[in-house]
């Protein structure tokens, strides 16, 4: 069988007018891909600097639901448990969790940290508005020359991300 992967636009359209629930958060984690350095940089900036209080609070509540031991990390076991509860298929849960960790666990510590969770769960139709993208570009363009270098990205992230995350992003 051939299954077409949903585009970001299709996912955003599905979310418009509805409240995201834990199923949506798990789906977002499953679909999250970080392939281009600047795309990763923009998502990290928006996740750490541009979310409204309401958006961040909503995502924080979802993170807390998955972080059952309350240590500030979502472990492989916690994520698998969440998938088992929502989807009821242990084998599928294990496969999805392995894929999620490869894509979302940027620093490869075996857990999903809060900032990684935020990046994977940005509501694209709201988070990637022209205004936020312009703000992100301006944030990274430290010398205001209309371009962004790797050095500017690295310097920009020093205020909001650990060196491990910066290294993985860049």
């Amino acid at each position: 069988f051939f299954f077409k992967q949903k585009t970001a636009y299709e996912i955003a359209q599905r979310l418009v007018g509805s409240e995201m629930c834990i199923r949506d958060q798990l789906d977002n984690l499953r679909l999250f891909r970080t392939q281009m350095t600047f795309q990763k940089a923009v998502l990290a900036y928006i996740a750490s600097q541009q979310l409204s209080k309401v958006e961040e609070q909503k995502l924080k509540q979802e993170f807390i639901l998955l972080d059952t031991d309350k240590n500030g990390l979502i472990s492989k076991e916690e994520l698998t448990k969440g998938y088992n509860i929502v989807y009821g298929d242990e084998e599928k849960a294990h496969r999805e969790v392995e894929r999620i960790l490869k894509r979302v666990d940027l620093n490869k510590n075996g857990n999903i940290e809060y900032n990684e969770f935020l990046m994977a769960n940005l509501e694209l139709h709201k988070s990637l508005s022209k205004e936020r993208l312009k703000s992100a570009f301006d944030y990274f363009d430290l010398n205001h020359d209309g371009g962004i270098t790797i050095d500017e990205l690295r310097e920009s992230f020093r205020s909001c991300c650990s060196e491990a995350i910066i290294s993985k992003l860049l």
Side-chain angles (χ1 to χ4, degrees), residues 54-104:
V54 171
E55 289 168 316
E56 187 170 0
Q57 186 60 33
K58 184 176 171 185
L59 289 171
K60 185 175 184 178
Q61 289 170 350
E62 298 295 339
F63 183 88
I64 290 168
L65 285 175
L66 291 169
D67 179 21
T68 57
D69 67 4
K70 308 300 181 221
N71 69 347
L73 304 168
I74 299 173
S75 68
K76 181 178 180 178
E77 294 76 25
E78 290 168 323
L79 195 54
T80 302
K81 182 179 177 182
Y83 262 92
N84 278 332
I85 290 169
V86 172
Y87 294 103
D89 183 340
E90 190 170 337
E91 188 176 316
K92 181 179 178 181
H94 286 288
R95 283 192 314 267
E96 289 300 326
V97 167
E98 288 299 326
R99 285 186 214 142
I100 287 168
L101 288 173
K102 285 179 185 175
R103 294 176 185 154
V104 178

Side-chain angles (χ1 to χ4, degrees), residues 17-18 43 47-49 83 88 102 111 140 149 155 164 168 170:
S18 68
L43 289 173
S48 67
Q49 304 291 320
Y83 262 92
K102 285 179 185 175
N111 299 297
F140 295 120
T149 66
E155 184 60 33
K168 187 61 181 172
L170 306 176

Side-chain angles (χ1 to χ4, degrees), residues 12 38 42-43 45-46 50-52 55 122-138:
F38 188 66
V42 169
L43 289 173
Y45 170 76
I46 291 172
Q50 293 281 310
L51 290 178
S52 72
E55 289 168 316
L122 291 175
E123 291 185 61
L124 297 179
H125 66 286
K126 291 181 181 176
S127 300
L128 298 182
S129 68
K130 286 181 182 180
E131 295 81 20
R132 284 186 173 170
L133 290 173
K134 172 78 169 99
S135 175
F137 186 88
D138 292 344

